[in-house]
Amino acid sequence: MDEKETKRYWKSLDERKPDHAFPQDEFREEFGVPAMQLDRRGFLKAAGFTAAVAAIAGCSRAPVQKAIPYLIQPEELVAGKSYYYATTCAACSAGCGVLVKTRDGRPVKLEGNPQHPVSRGGLCAVGQASLLGLYDSQRLTGPLSGGKPASWEEADGAILSRLTEIRAKGGAVRFLSGTVTSPALRAQLGQFLGQFKDARHVMYDALSSSAILDAQEQTHGVRALPHYDFSKAEVLASFDADFLGAWIAPVEFAAGYRAGRAAEATPPRFSSHAQIESRMSLTGTKADRRMLVAPGEMGLALSHLAARIARLSGAVFDGAGMAASPVPEKVLEELAARLWSARGRSLVVSGSQEVAAQVLVNFINQQLGNYGATVDLEKPSSQKMGSDRALGALLGELKAGKVAALFLHGVNPVYELPHGAALAEALKRVPLLVNLSERVDETSGLAHFICPDRHFLESWNDAEATAGVVSLSQPAIHPLGNTRAALESLAAWSGKPQAAYEILRASWRERIFPRQKKAAAFDAFWDQSVHDGFAEVGARAEKSKPFRKEAVRAVINADVPASGMFALNLYPKVSMREGRHAHNPWLQELPDPVSKVAWDNYACVAPGAAARLGLSEGDVVRLEANASAVELPVLVQPGQQEGTIAVALGYGRQGTERFVQVGPKWLFGKKTGGADGRVGKNAAPLLRFSGGQLQYAGQEVRLTRLEQKSPLACTQSHHTLTMPKSLPIVGNERREIVRETTLSALLNSRKAAGEKGVAAPAAVLDLWPKDHPTPNHQWGMAIDLTACTGCSACVVACQAENNIPVVGKDEVLRHREMHWMRIDRYYSGEGEDEVSVVHQPMLCQQCANAPCETVCPVLATVHSDEGLNQQVYNRCIGTRYCANNCPYKTRRFNWFDYVREDHLANLALNPDVTVRSRGIMEKCTFCVQRIQEGKSEAKRQGAALVDGDVQTACQQSCPSQAIVFGDLNDAQSRVSKAMKNSRNYRVLGEFNFRPSIGYLVVARNRAEGGEDKGNG
Amino acid sequence: MADSTVVLRPPLIDGHKTFAQVTSDVCRGMEGKPTPLWWASFLTAFAVLMVGAAAVGYLVTTGIGTWGANRTVGWAFDITNFVFWIGIGHAGTLISAVLYLLRQRWRTSVNRAAEAMTLFAVMCAGLFPVIHLGRPWMAYWIFPYPNTRGPLWVNFRSPLVWDAFAISTYFTISLVFWYVGLIPDLATVRDRAKEGLKKKLSGLFSLGWNGSTRTWSRYEVVYLLLAGLATPLVLSVHTIVSWDFATSVIPGWHTTIFPPYFVAGAIFSGLAMVLTLMLVARKTMRLEEYITIRHVEVMCKLIIATSGMVGLAYATEFVTALYSGNPYEQFAFLNRAFGPWGWAYGIMVSCNVVIPQLLWSKRIRTNIAIVFVISIFVNIGMWFERFVIIVTSLHRDYLPSSWADYRPTPIEIAILAGTFGLFFTCFLLFCRFLPVIAMAEVKGVLNEGREPAHGHGHAQAAGKRAGLPARSSAMEGARG
Amino acid sequence: MRSYSVTLLLASGLVVSLLLLANSLGDVRIPGNQLGYSPVQPIAFSHRLHAGELQIRCLYCHFGAEQSRHAGIPAASVCMNCHRFVTATLGAMRAEEEAAKKENRKPRRVISPEIQKIYDALALDGNLQRDPKNNLTPIAWTKIHNLPDFVYFDHRPHVAVGVTCQQCHGAVETMDRVAQAQPLSMGWCVNCHRTATQTGIAGKAVHASIDCARCHY
């Protein structure tokens, strides 16, 4: 009855206690009894009275909303204003700079920091999504002792007392962590471990590159990861290194790669990129030339290349007894020639974990004089510092029970390493096991104490990802829960507890400040660094010794799997990496850029092999390698090497059972997650140690087919631009949705057209030329398909910015994913070997003649006088007519009320965007909230909006700056220029929908001058 | 008498009925206890209706997600059913209005039922535009009304708005037309009924009808006018429905042939449905002498005709597409015929074009059983026609990346079934409580009263007994 | 008998809810149109006194209006800028001074009960120092000008082009307790935008967009 009760529940935010106890309960109780034997008249009476009461209560007061201001106004903080703070992303060890957008004291969005020398404004999907990690309700809110909540005092007390014992006994103390790029933390660690006689800090990376470091040590005497500069590389050969996908520092590399491929620059700079790999990697999709080589043949291929380079450079290279090259001689010759012709401006990288292979890479780069040019060992990168040898040693110690105390930080070995079960047993025998993990996982579950570290958005920290660039992290929100920064924990355990802020300042005063010349006073330097989020200082010169030729040894033959067996390639997905972020629904729902499958990992099988074995998508197979087996559904992956099976790591994490709850619940809805409730299967057991390195590729695997199916949630059902063979339309087999050209063709056409570029296309006749005047602004976007790597950062950025719900596997299977921005992926090229791939970001095209607008009966989607195609949620009644009539199918319908029960996660919602309810249509708005914000700010300052003031979320996060957004009325804006580019075209332009988005043709640095190789 | 039948056209009504017999024959169904057959069919229909209602309830409380539609195929069963039922309605209007204006006197024994069918079909159809909405409770926004939003009107360019008007008009006219036609018969019912609710109601609704000549002439005028008013609707309504698709940009929808194509289809499907119902009714209610083989034959001929038109439309749109040189258009139709939904296309063509050709043969036309089966086939075929048009056009449109398949959920199927439940529930109630055959009009086409010998007086007598004056004179007056 | 009891029960229910209605009659609002809504506030703050008599600029307290989408309600600390010294009405303080002068003693601090509420919120003791015993208790004002959740209103551009506060909020400087002076319906917004674009604001030509996406996104 009482409106106040019910209405307050819905509307107002503060939970005030009800001021009087009248509400319906009283009625219900007393009603219940007599209601049983109500006769007709009684019932009618009841009905009558109830109606009357309802009517009266109905017109009593409407919801009361409270407004609670600050008591003490914080300085320079105005309610409802967004503030940006510079900090450093810690989602992986690449150390990209980010700007945190905070609103009323909580981070709501991460953006790349344009000034940051490492990431240069981009931010990858994982980085974008790490915002949601902050609001993860499964993060620990305080220390656990023996699995039970404890106070920090208790935990520290216990740990310290055990440590003193151990110190007395001189027991071995080990600190196992991932790569630690933070100088302050390293120092703190040194201090902590210094207390013990036998103490060691062991670093390993779940996605290890330690072969590279070891190889450097062998050839140059420095165990460091060289800093690769892709922007300077004119000829680029990558042996199974997915540097645009998930290898070391994809954002940094993508930015460099894009800088090296500027067809519009004068003179045109456009690197030539050869990818030699065994699976279809994201990097492979961008390559100009792609060669398929089994994982085991990588070393051999490198040796053949090395031999040729050596011949050209006149260096000695003993290639005696080399087996035939897996790569065609001709191709190899040509590659070698190209590399040689671009001495000092070329780059060879390899993702191999074979030290021998990496040594060959060093040899080649050395011969090409790339050291000091594209390969920098003077200012090395510390994005990967792990040593698999050290890890192996530690594992040995653990097995032997030699370790008295083991601290773990930022790693999950039980899950990430092979033989996890055995390791778990060994860990159980460690007398003191302390884990700084932020959650209870496979490893920390075994710990005696969990001392949760803070999320990077909650704490002070720093990172020197590449020598000379020290980035700062600053807290952007008051810590959620009673966690403690690793710095503080270590300080506490070293006997001198201190606040992270103090530790960090001290460390900077001591270590960083002296390394720079600019600022005289430390405080000024500090403030500047906090403001910028980083400081550029002198690198501690790692003097590398001259090249040791004797280290170089040819790999004379390939190890190919026995007949009937396959070679395994365990790779990190762009979204899931090593699985650290498996709890993040945004990443789980992000379709893989190549396979377009979400919510699963799977066994990628080459089409040929699939045909041979009669396998089709979704058939479950068992993969057996080094005494462990994994059962996975099959995905037929074009462009994969015949004898290879590729499986993504990072799935099957403990705790992903939570996603059973993720989708809408209804009668015929299926739950997300496999039989065990987890998302995907953990492929780590198939890893192996060999040559002291963690091997991801090459191990022999047996594939047996099981008689079951497991559907894959693939967002794309047709994978090429060619029409199905069964329905030939003579002359129109292929749709010109994505256009491709080659560099040579492009340059020729330019030359032909003269320097001023191709004349603008003839104006299309239009029935309503003045239909939609745009007096002030006309927003438009240009997407450079050459630059776009398909990395999908934009997709997650869009999801974060626009409060896009996560719908779960079943809904994706029903083609109801909600992403406003998707990246269409089309395969092309006949024959399995030269499959090439194009990525096309597809979002609402904001058509001037928008088909959706005419058909909406209630004017819920109409055109704005700024050229926007507006979608008005609160007017929409959900006929779905607009979506049917949208030629680009970019509209998304709210089929259900999507789950938003996690109140903590809801803190990540963008307060500037409506959360859409059930039954209405939504779509890309060109981030209209940002446009309005920009205009309001400009108006406030009485200034005109300048190009770049308004950036869409997708544009902002794009590591390769493929997206340009701006005002087409402003002839000088970047987007107007891009629209005049000769490569510019409109998708389905022939229908005169007049989309506001122009696409720039895919250009590849290929020999053949033909317009394109015809997708198909 | 025998020779008289020779000189006159063969009678429309067999068995030399007298007016009295007509009255009693028709009213028989309404008086006395309903047959077990009626009960059985009514309960079944009602049960199905309830299932459908439950499904709709679940849909409205849970969301459109309970259907199989997806980001690519936004409409499927919902609009298919809508168009299907609207189509069914058309035959009723055709028979009652158009054939009336065309002086097709054989219509008299089927028009009442056909009109009822129109009403019920439009009811079923009208359900879908509402429940297919994401927010059905906002459905009223589709009508323009003054508001405090600035004001904010509706989008008059949108076919859905036209739909709203078309359907509501259609329903109103059909209802009035049907009711006016009922008045004289209601009077009959009134006069025959004993005291009680039935007498009261029929009295109320017969508007105090007294069979006076003046009443008759007024009645005839109104009826004629209404017929004139309803006739254009036969064309307009389905034309407008077809614009829902024709005005879009989706290959396979964006076709100028749609209006005539849809109207033909509508009448085709409607006739089939009338036939189905008639054959059932005449058997169960023993009306063989009123709904004669001749009626069945005439209907069959109409079906052949409309089937031909539909077939022509199929051919035309296909040829147009292939000739158009628009690859998207071409693909849409190839995909329709040979794509994943080819089987549906097959059903559509075979049921709507191939099978009806059997009706060329008199032997089949006059074989009730076969005709019945064929009429069922046509109904199925026409439902599939709409399904094919909607789903196969949507599921593979411009960008191959967003092509998708479609699979209906049990909820959708339940709702489809539910509409049939609603339809038959209403129809059975109608059979039970209202005269299935327009007595007054049937009497007008009897040979009775045209035979100088004895007919007239007899007629008078019969008329009195039936509580009705002989109306032949009035009829002639109206027709002259 | 039973039906009688039921009747009684239902009747009593009716009565109770009637009473409820009666006590809530003070601030009846038909949802949707809250014109004239003027709830009792936790502190009887008078805009007439502050904005009217004392001529304090609106933006002094509601400084957010210039820089943010929300005008904002001032923090208690803002009140304290003055009320650190002004603890009661002028009259009361004068009187106390008079009295003090007569009895030649130091004037005692007189604190008016409403202003006391600010001090309580800030947990200040008798001589306005932070009292560690009590803890801070935010003041929960009742929001008067409510817009639906799907509307994004932004004060900035309105203030920037010189729309006066009174135009939408009414003559607040004359209100002791603020009441909603305008319907705040979509029609009301849109029509003002239309006219503004035609006639301009304060002599300046303005472009007040009536695009949906100006407010709905």
Side-chain angles (χ1 to χ4, degrees), chain B residues 117-132:
Chain B
M117 185 194 74
T118 302
L119 279 181
F120 305 145
V122 176
M123 279 160 61
C124 295
L127 183 69
F128 287 98
V130 177
I131 65 168
H132 97 289

Side-chain angles (χ1 to χ4, degrees), chain A residues 667 715 717 729 735 814-817 824 854-857 874 876-881 884-885 889 895 918, chain B residues 58 60-61 65 67 69-71 74-75 78 132 134-135 155 158 244 248-250 330 397-398 401 403 405:
Chain A
L667 214 47
T715 58
S717 55
I729 314 176
R735 293 187 174 177
R814 295 171 189 267
H815 312 294
R816 292 177 188 167
E817 69 275 10
D824 292 344
T854 53
V855 297
C856 174
N874 48 304
C876 178
I877 59 175
T879 65
R880 302 189 297 296
Y881 198 175
N884 288 341
N885 209 24
K889 288 288 174 278
W895 302 97
R918 185 191 116 200
Chain B
Y58 185 66
V60 173
T61 51
W67 285 352
N70 55 48
R71 55 155 157 75
W75 289 345
D78 45 6
H132 97 289
R135 304 200 290 172
N155 180 6
S158 167
D244 285 350
S248 81
V249 300
I250 300 302
Q330 295 171 343
D397 66 345
Y398 292 95
S401 64
W403 288 2
D405 55 357

Side-chain angles (χ1 to χ4, degrees), chain C residues 87-98:
Chain C
T87 59
T89 59
L90 198 57
M93 293 172 83
R94 285 255 173 73
E96 169 60 13
E97 270 164 24
E98 301 292 313

Side-chain angles (χ1 to χ4, degrees), chain A residues 150-221:
Chain A
S151 75
W152 280 107
E153 293 66 29
E154 292 162 14
D156 288 346
I159 294 172
L160 281 169
S161 63
R162 301 265 200 97
L163 283 177
T164 36
E165 289 168 25
I166 292 165
R167 196 184 294 108
K169 290 210 207 70
V173 177
R174 300 285 180 264
F175 192 98
L176 179 61
S177 75
T179 293
V180 175
T181 54
S182 158
L185 185 55
R186 278 206 296 270
Q188 199 64 35
L189 264 167
Q191 206 174 55
F192 168 65
L193 296 173
Q195 317 171 67
F196 308 95
K197 272 200 285 322
D198 175 12
R200 217 181 324 122
H201 175 209
V202 178
M203 285 191 267
Y204 86 91
D205 302 292
L207 302 174
S208 173
S209 301
S210 77
I212 301 179
L213 283 78
D214 293 350
Q216 294 298 340
E217 193 169 25
Q218 286 187 20
T219 57
H220 291 80

Side-chain angles (χ1 to χ4, degrees), chain A residues 539-554:
Chain A
R540 255 185 267 82
E542 292 256 10
K543 254 292 117 277
S544 62
K545 304 194 184 53
F547 186 79
R548 283 182 57 249
K549 275 199 252 28
E550 46 280 18
V552 184
R553 221 165 252 79

Side-chain angles (χ1 to χ4, degrees), chain A residues 296-582:
Chain A
E297 300 170 331
M298 222 35 91
L300 183 59
L302 271 162
S303 314
H304 278 276
L305 183 61
R308 281 172 176 67
I309 296 291
R311 195 180 313 131
L312 290 164
S313 68
V316 284
F317 179 82
D318 171 24
M322 274 199 294
S325 160
V327 185
E329 300 286 337
K330 186 177 126 297
V331 180
L332 216 51
E333 281 297 347
E334 199 234 350
L335 177 59
R338 278 173 174 277
L339 285 166
W340 184 249
S341 65
R343 279 189 303 290
R345 306 187 315 283
S346 60
L347 175 59
V348 178
V349 291
S350 167
S352 165
Q353 272 286 79
E354 302 281 355
V355 179
Q358 291 293 355
V359 167
L360 287 169
V361 171
N362 294 358
F363 172 75
I364 295 170
N365 279 325
Q366 183 70 31
Q367 294 308 314
L368 293 171
N370 292 339
Y371 275 90
T374 55
V375 183
D376 190 347
L377 207 50
E378 300 305 313
K379 283 180 159 214
S381 143
S382 53
Q383 288 154 327
K384 299 277 181 186
M385 300 167 83
S387 160
D388 294 353
R389 258 197 198 71
L391 174 65
L394 176 62
L395 293 178
E397 285 181 316
L398 284 168
K399 276 204 189 53
K402 291 212 195 77
V403 178
L406 178 65
F407 293 76
L408 297 106
H409 177 232
V411 287
N412 185 2
V414 174
Y415 165 82
E416 291 162 348
L417 298 179
H419 317 302
L423 177 58
E425 285 315 309
L427 287 177
K428 290 209 189 86
R429 292 200 301 276
V430 178
L432 175 59
L433 191 58
V434 182
N435 199 319
L436 280 70
S437 159
E438 61 169 20
R439 70 180 67 244
V440 177
D441 59 29
E442 291 85 348
T443 310
S444 60
L446 307 166
H448 304 118
F449 301 94
I450 307 185
C451 305
D453 190 3
R454 284 181 180 161
H455 191 275
F456 72 88
L457 290 172
E458 293 173 328
S459 52
W460 286 97
N461 204 345
D462 62 353
E464 185 169 8
T466 60
V469 180
V470 194
S471 316
L472 257 175
S473 297
Q474 59 178 317
I477 185 175
H478 188 278
L480 306 161
N482 178 24
T483 54
R484 187 170 70 179
L487 278 172
E488 296 175 358
S489 296
L490 288 168
W493 301 333
S494 321
K496 38 180 112 54
Q498 220 182 347
Y501 178 69
E502 302 307 330
I503 302 171
L504 196 64
R505 258 184 86 95
S507 159
W508 271 59
R509 189 188 298 276
E510 181 187 338
R511 297 182 189 79
I512 316 300
F513 180 57
R515 284 165 58 187
Q516 57 86 41
K517 303 275 160 292
K518 284 194 245 57
F522 173 71
D523 289 330
F525 169 65
W526 172 259
D527 294 345
Q528 190 57 43
S529 310
V530 173
H531 170 273
D532 299 346
F534 67 93
E536 283 183 283
V537 298
R540 255 185 267 82
E542 292 256 10
K543 254 292 117 277
S544 62
K545 304 194 184 53
F547 186 79
R548 283 182 57 249
K549 275 199 252 28
E550 46 280 18
V552 184
R553 221 165 252 79
V555 178
I556 54 168
N557 43 22
D559 63 1
V560 283
S563 69
M565 305 282 269
F566 287 88
L568 190 61
N569 183 351
L570 298 166
Y571 66 96
K573 256 195 192 183
V574 168
S575 52
M576 216 32 71
R577 307 276 174 96
E578 76 275 45
R580 207 175 121 199
H581 300 281

Side-chain angles (χ1 to χ4, degrees), chain A residues 7-60:
Chain A
K7 285 265 183 69
R8 171 154 67 256
Y9 169 76
W10 286 110
K11 293 264 181 96
S12 105
L13 289 166
D14 59 322
E15 275 82 27
R16 291 185 308 164
K17 282 168 240 65
D19 26 31
H20 45 68
F22 168 70
Q24 54 269 71
D25 328 20
E26 183 182 355
F27 247 80
R28 229 190 275 114
E29 294 158 9
E30 307 222 354
F31 215 154
V33 191
M36 309 317 270
Q37 339 77 341
L38 262 184
D39 57 326
R40 198 181 104 276
R41 308 168 115 269
F43 170 77
L44 288 176
K45 216 181 298 167
F49 275 110
T50 326
V53 174
I56 291 159
C59 58
S60 72

Side-chain angles (χ1 to χ4, degrees), chain A residues 46 225 457 529 584 765 808 905:
Chain A
L225 177 70
L457 290 172
S529 310
N584 193 313
L765 290 176

